[in-house]
Amino acid sequence: AQTVTQSQPEMSVQEAETVTLSCTYDTSESDYYLFWYKQPPSRQMILVIRQEAYKQQNATENRFSVNFQKAAKSFSLKISDSQLGDAAMYFCSLDTDKLIFGTGTRLQVFP
Amino acid sequence: SAVISQKPSRDICQRGTSLTIQCQVDSQVTMMFWYRQQPGQSLTLIATANQGSEATYESGFVIDKFPISRPNLTFSTLTVSNMSPEDSSIYLCSVEDGALVNEQFFGPGTRLTVL
């Protein structure tokens, strides 16, 4: 069975600082995709970043980057230069034949 | 990326009634998905809706409770039938953009409260 675990229910960071959100997963598949989604209070799920399992290079999107450790089945999200607009729920998800979501991490950003 | 709208954005319903949620996409897509997000919880896939075929339901979800229609490549509906307070959730539709493999885009969600 596929599982996604986010062990940090809440995290906080000061504006302009860096924060890392943790995610581990389990799958027996060798070919899969990993995603981080952001859900602000407006409820709209927004894709932050994606990683293909066959790619060794860590994905980056502007201030967002991942640390993908395939052997350890770890997929953490690093947010650099945090902004107030980054405050949201962040969901890690695994896609083999369907999307499975972790329980989410609520990120607070303090000025 | 696809732009997705949902109607209604929120509703308050009485126990025992049914509500149909609409999902409209601005482009033709093959695969559409319906998710439930219970209060303070993560997203759980209800079913996958492909045009021209019966929806495929995940374990714990049945067609009698959550009938789905997919009449064309830009539209789908999810009905929550014979509602109870336990059905109070956010319901989201999503689509898989054909140009971006395995990447899903989500609608804004429908917040349902059942009294």
Side-chain angles (χ1 to χ4, degrees):
Chain A
Q2 271 69 246
T3 60
V4 177
T5 302
Q6 292 180 250
S7 59
Q8 305 156 317
E10 290 192 5
M11 292 284 285
S12 61
V13 63
Q14 202 127 26
E15 208 174 359
E17 297 296 309
T18 296
V19 64
T20 298
L21 308 184
S22 301
C23 174
T24 58
Y25 62 94
D26 192 23
T27 179
S28 57
E29 301 291 330
S30 59
D31 186 20
Y32 52 88
Y33 298 80
L34 293 160
F35 303 90
W36 279 97
Y37 281 91
K38 167 185 176 182
Q39 187 179 40
S42 66
R43 302 195 308 261
Q44 181 81 53
M45 292 283 284
I46 302 165
L47 179 65
V48 175
I49 199 164
R50 63 178 273 155
Q51 174 81 44
E52 291 88 343
Y54 65 85
K55 290 187 177 179
Q56 291 186 331
Q57 188 172 4
N58 289 325
T60 62
E61 284 289 339
N62 301 313
R63 298 183 294 109
F64 299 87
S65 61
V66 298
N67 184 4
F68 174 46
Q69 302 288 330
K70 190 172 183 178
K73 294 181 179 174
S74 170
F75 183 60
S76 61
L77 174 70
K78 185 171 82 170
I79 306 174
S80 304
D81 185 24
S82 297
Q83 301 175 359
L84 295 176
D86 294 333
M89 282 290 287
Y90 285 81
F91 292 98
C92 177
S93 63
L94 165 69
D95 192 339
T96 53
D97 62 345
K98 65 180 181 182
L99 262 187
I100 297 170
F101 289 85
T103 51
T105 297
R106 182 174 301 283
L107 178 65
Q108 293 182 301
V109 181
F110 295 105
Chain B
S1 62
V3 176
I4 306 161
S5 60
Q6 284 185 236
K7 289 182 182 179
S9 60
R10 59 178 62 220
D11 207 342
I12 301 173
C13 300
Q14 295 297 320
R15 180 196 299 261
T17 63
S18 298
L19 176 72
T20 295
I21 302 168
Q22 299 179 6
C23 179
Q24 180 76 52
V25 190
D26 69 341
S27 58
Q28 293 185 337
V29 294
T30 302
M31 301 186 75
M32 295 180 78
F33 307 88
W34 286 98
Y35 290 84
R36 181 176 72 183
Q37 186 177 23
Q38 293 177 301
Q41 304 291 317
S42 186
L43 282 75
T44 302
L45 180 64
I46 297 171
T48 302
N50 293 332
Q51 194 264 339
S53 63
E54 293 286 325
T56 303
Y57 289 83
E58 296 299 312
S59 176
F61 299 96
V62 295
I63 188 171
D64 290 347
K65 176 67 175 177
F66 297 102
I68 288 171
S69 78
R70 182 78 200 274
N72 57 53
L73 291 174
T74 63
F75 187 77
S76 179
T77 66
L78 169 76
T79 299
V80 186
S81 303
N82 188 24
M83 289 184 284
S84 66
E86 292 71 35
D87 294 320
S88 298
S89 293
I90 296 170
Y91 293 85
L92 300 104
C93 71
S94 75
V95 304
E96 193 169 271
D97 190 319
L100 299 166
V101 178
N102 289 75
E103 196 158 307
Q104 291 188 24
F105 296 91
F106 286 81
T110 295
R111 183 182 293 276
L112 171 62
T113 302
V114 184
L115 302 177

